[in-house]
Every structure is written in C-alpha cells, then in structure tokens.
Amino acid sequence: MSDTTLMQLKENHSLKPYNTLGVEAKAEQFISIGTVDQLVQVLTDPNFRDIDKCVLGGGSNVLFRDDVKGLVLHISIKGIHKVREDKNHVWVRSGAGVIWHDLVLHCVERGWGGIENLSLIPGTVGAAPIQNIGAYGAELKDVFESLEAVETETGEVRTFTYDECRFGYRDSIFKNELKGKYIITHCTLRLSRHPEVNTSYGAIQARLEERGVTDPTIRDISETVIDIRRSKLPDPDALGNAGSFFKNPVVSKEKYDQLKRRYPEIPGYPLEGPVVKVPAGWLIEETGWKGKVVGNAGTYHNQALVIVNHGGATGTEILQLAEKVKTAVHERFGIELEPEVNIIP
Ligand code: EPU
C-alpha cells in the first residue's frame, strides 16, 4: 500500500479545530500529512500541481479572514530522536508536527538545556523556525542547528543551515524571500548536557525568588515560565487566542526619546544600533484598549497585546478589532503596529 492511500482528501473541511483563535473557516480541500514521503507525493501529484496550497501546523499563530481556497496541508509529521551527542551537547531531531511544548518537556526531562525558557509556547516544531519563536530571554535561534524542508514547487527535499535561515526578531527567510516556497518537515536543535540557566528576564527572577529557589535547574525554569505564562496568557482551550497579535514595534532612538519626554513611564529595550523596541502591550494599554470587548472579540484583560475570541467571533470581526487597536495606537503615538499572526488568505 503506498503512503498516499493512507491520506484522506477532505473537502469543505472545517478549520475551527485547527486554529487556536477558534475562528470558523472552511478549507476547500484538506489533507493531513504524516510523513515526508506523503508530502512529496502530494506536491508532485499532477492533480494538485496548480492548486494554491496553504500549510498549517498547530494553528496557533494564524487568523483565517475567510474560507481558504485550494488545498490546506496539515503537517503532522511526528517523532523526536537524539541523532548525535558529544561531551557537551546532544542534537535532537524532531518532526515538524510535534507539539513544541512536548519537545520542550522531552528535553527538560532528560536534562538537555536550551529551550526551557520557551516552555508552553503554543504551536508545532515546524512553525518554530519560521518566526524564530522567542520568550523570556531566549529564542529558537540560540539552539538551532538545521532544518529539513520540501520545496513546494518541485517536491525536492533540502536542508537549511543556521545561516541560511537568516533569523531575526520573530523573523526568518521563510517569512521573506522563501515565503510559501518550502514546507518544513524536521528541525534539529543542539542542546546542552551541562546547561546554564537563563534568568535574565526580570519576571523569571522575581518568580524564582518568590518560590525561594536559589540555584535553579532547567526544570525550575520551565516550571516558572509555565507559571508566568498561565498567569498572563489565556489558555486557548478556554478562550480562543493566538498569543501576541502584534509585534513589538522597533522605533528610532530619537522617536523613543521624544515619546519618553511625553510619557516618562514608557518602557523600551535598546537594540543594536540607534533603535528601541517598545512593548506593544504598553502602548495598547495606554490607549485604553486593554480588556475591551467589541461584539465577540476583545483584548485580553491581563495582556493587551493578546486578542481573544469570546465565542463565535469571525475572522473579519477579529481583524476589525485589530484595526481599531492599531488606529488608536497610531493616533496616540504615531507608531504603526504590525501583526505578528499570519492573516490568511
Ligand atoms: N505591558 C503593559 N500592558 C500590557 C502588556 C504588557 O504595560 O497589557 C508592558 C509591561 O511594561 C511589560 C512589557 O509590556 O513589562 C512586556 O510585556 P510581556 O513581558 O508580557 O511581553 P511582551 O513584550 O508583551 C513578548 C512576546 C511574547 C512572549 C513575552 C515573554 C512579542 C510580540 N511577544 O511579549 O510572545 O511570551 O514577550 O517573553 O514579542 C507570542 O509571540 O505570541 C508571545 C506571546
């Protein structure tokens, strides 16, 4: 039996269970992909050649504006394996369809350090490099070794090194030049066997102190991050959301200094060069938009940067709310917020 016979093509398939915002949208065609062979077969099948394709992982960073025309490929390639080790490191290769947090737990349990600060980030391993996921002082790129991907157009399998991925803040080549051109199937990370914990993020330090932990292990860090995230970010199973809806904007030092004179409280994190990253959550809260509800959508009461679906919100309704927030921030601060979630189509 060939691999494709195990795949089932579904038509007019609801995507509601496949996006954490819980928006109703239908895929014209939908296939769940479990292996690289299956993916290559679909991509090289003449029947699907000229059809638009949309790739879906955990659906935790997408907003479906509308129904999706063409073929939705749901990537569910599983498996976590240690592929190499030396005195100091282990290399772990994971399928793109593995839940990111399951990979974190797998590594934390074995004492392999490097991704504990990224605990509980929703989504799958395959989506992680696309936006170089980051939280609490760490980023995927810090432990990234390589990834394997299939070229959408040809079905050819290729490996990308760290340099080739061109990681940036919530950014990589897969959001730019190669957008839509490759489908990630596996990701290999280099983790430390003698981890040094990263407590640079203020909230982690504070929470560890509260718990009386003085010499934290990676497990302590993971538990602390889980704790902080649960207290600030809504659980998508209880309240639809896609984490941060906007990116934290980066402004010139000059612009920041101007704002600081007017708003002495404004937080800012200087980056390399004369630029400063400003927390969008603060800007939104300052405009009075934190915790507001419009129809079925709103901003989260504990974190203004998170847009939530209070039940039954459509993609359009959520986008309209996002536009209102964006306009309010622009009017007050002259800063243009950009979405962090992918808006489809
Ligand atoms: N703030 C407010 N009001 C708010 C929210 C935030 O004033 O309603 C201010 C506070 O000053 C706070 C600062 O913003 O100190 C930063 O807030 P937070 O620590 O919650 O982090 P963030 O910058 O809003 C980023 C990531 C999150 C990640 C956290 C923790 C982006 C777009 N978001 O949020 O990532 O979990 O840091 O590291 O960079 C995601 O990408 O989906 C995501 C949740």
Side-chain angles (χ1 to χ4, degrees):
M1 186 161 51
S2 92
D3 241 4
T4 23
T5 53
L6 298 170
M7 286 186 283
Q8 225 195 335
L9 178 70
K10 294 173 178 150
E11 299 201 331
N12 245 339
H13 194 61
S14 169
L15 295 172
K16 195 168 176 191
Y18 297 95
N19 75 97
T20 59
L21 264 167
V23 162
E24 181 56 275
K26 292 210 159 44
E28 196 175 2
Q29 297 187 309
F30 179 97
I31 297 184
S32 218
I33 302 280
T35 67
V36 175
D37 282 350
Q38 287 180 348
L39 180 59
V40 171
Q41 283 183 46
V42 170
L43 294 176
T44 52
D45 185 328
N47 290 320
F48 296 125
R49 213 190 146 73
D50 299 318
I51 291 178
D52 285 341
K53 295 171 193 81
C54 164
V55 180
L56 197 56
S60 57
N61 207 42
V62 294
L63 171 63
F64 293 115
R65 190 199 313 251
D66 218 332
D67 290 344
V68 184
K69 293 233 161 49
L71 176 63
V72 171
L73 294 164
H74 176 242
I75 306 299
S76 56
I77 301 171
K78 303 286 184 198
I80 302 176
H81 300 283
K82 180 169 79 180
V83 288
R84 193 176 141 200
E85 65 184 310
D86 65 16
K87 221 165 73 236
N88 297 321
H89 294 102
V90 293
W91 282 259
V92 180
R93 179 176 181 262
S94 166
V98 168
I99 302 296
W100 171 261
H101 185 60
D102 290 346
L103 176 62
V104 173
L105 292 179
H106 182 100
C107 296
V108 169
E109 271 161 25
R110 287 161 180 77
W112 304 337
I115 52 175
E116 55 283 355
N117 293 53
L118 307 180
S119 293
L120 216 63
I121 292 185
T124 54
V125 170
I130 297 182
Q131 60 152 336
N132 177 28
I133 55 168
Y136 305 105
E139 279 181 306
L140 177 78
K141 74 174 176 59
D142 307 335
V143 295
F144 181 88
E145 174 76 20
S146 64
L147 63 80
E148 291 138 73
V150 181
E151 191 173 18
T152 320
E153 191 72 4
T154 60
E156 254 169 61
V157 179
R158 163 173 172 192
T159 300
F160 285 82
T161 62
Y162 175 92
D163 285 337
E164 286 169 337
C165 292
R166 297 215 217 124
F167 293 119
Y169 165 62
R170 294 294 194 278
D171 204 24
S172 77
I173 195 162
F174 304 103
K175 284 179 84 174
N176 297 288
E177 290 97 303
L178 297 186
K179 191 169 180 181
K181 301 234 182 305
Y182 280 89
I183 298 172
I184 296 169
T185 60
H186 291 89
C187 198
T188 303
L189 307 182
R190 195 192 71 219
L191 301 166
S192 174
R193 301 176 66 173
H194 314 288
E196 271 177 37
V197 295
N198 171 355
T199 57
S200 60
Y201 204 88
I204 293 192
Q205 275 171 24
R207 195 68 66 119
L208 285 169
E209 267 168 39
E210 262 168 51
R211 289 173 51 195
V213 181
T214 46
D215 190 11
T217 60
I218 58 170
R219 185 182 292 270
D220 292 321
I221 298 290
S222 175
E223 284 171 5
T224 303
V225 168
I226 290 173
D227 230 39
I228 301 173
R229 287 191 78 97
R230 289 218 168 110
S231 69
K232 276 198 169 184
L233 300 167
D235 172 3
D237 287 336
L239 188 63
N241 75 92
S244 303
F245 194 91
F246 297 103
K247 289 193 214 177
N248 286 329
V250 175
V251 301
S252 69
K253 170 99 180 34
E254 199 189 338
K255 167 89 184 167
Y256 181 74
D257 290 342
Q258 259 173 31
L259 288 168
K260 187 91 186 165
R261 282 193 288 277
R262 248 184 107 189
Y263 305 95
E265 316 276 82
I266 191 172
Y269 314 106
L271 302 179
E272 268 173 53
V275 291
V276 180
K277 186 154 88 177
V278 184
W282 187 90
L283 300 172
I284 298 170
E285 180 167 352
E286 195 62 23
T287 65
W289 266 94
K290 186 176 185 169
K292 271 204 184 172
V293 182
V294 180
N296 297 318
T299 55
Y300 191 52
H301 62 92
N302 273 343
Q303 216 318 354
L305 189 49
V306 177
I307 291 186
V308 296
N309 178 355
H310 286 289
T314 61
T316 312
E317 215 175 345
I318 288 175
L319 265 183
Q320 279 166 353
L321 178 101
E323 270 313 313
K324 290 199 174 101
V325 170
K326 203 178 142 163
T327 306
V329 167
H330 188 255
E331 279 173 359
R332 170 77 71 96
F333 301 102
I335 294 177
E336 197 76 33
L337 291 182
E338 278 175 41
E340 197 259 345
V341 299
N342 297 308
I343 296 163
I344 299 171

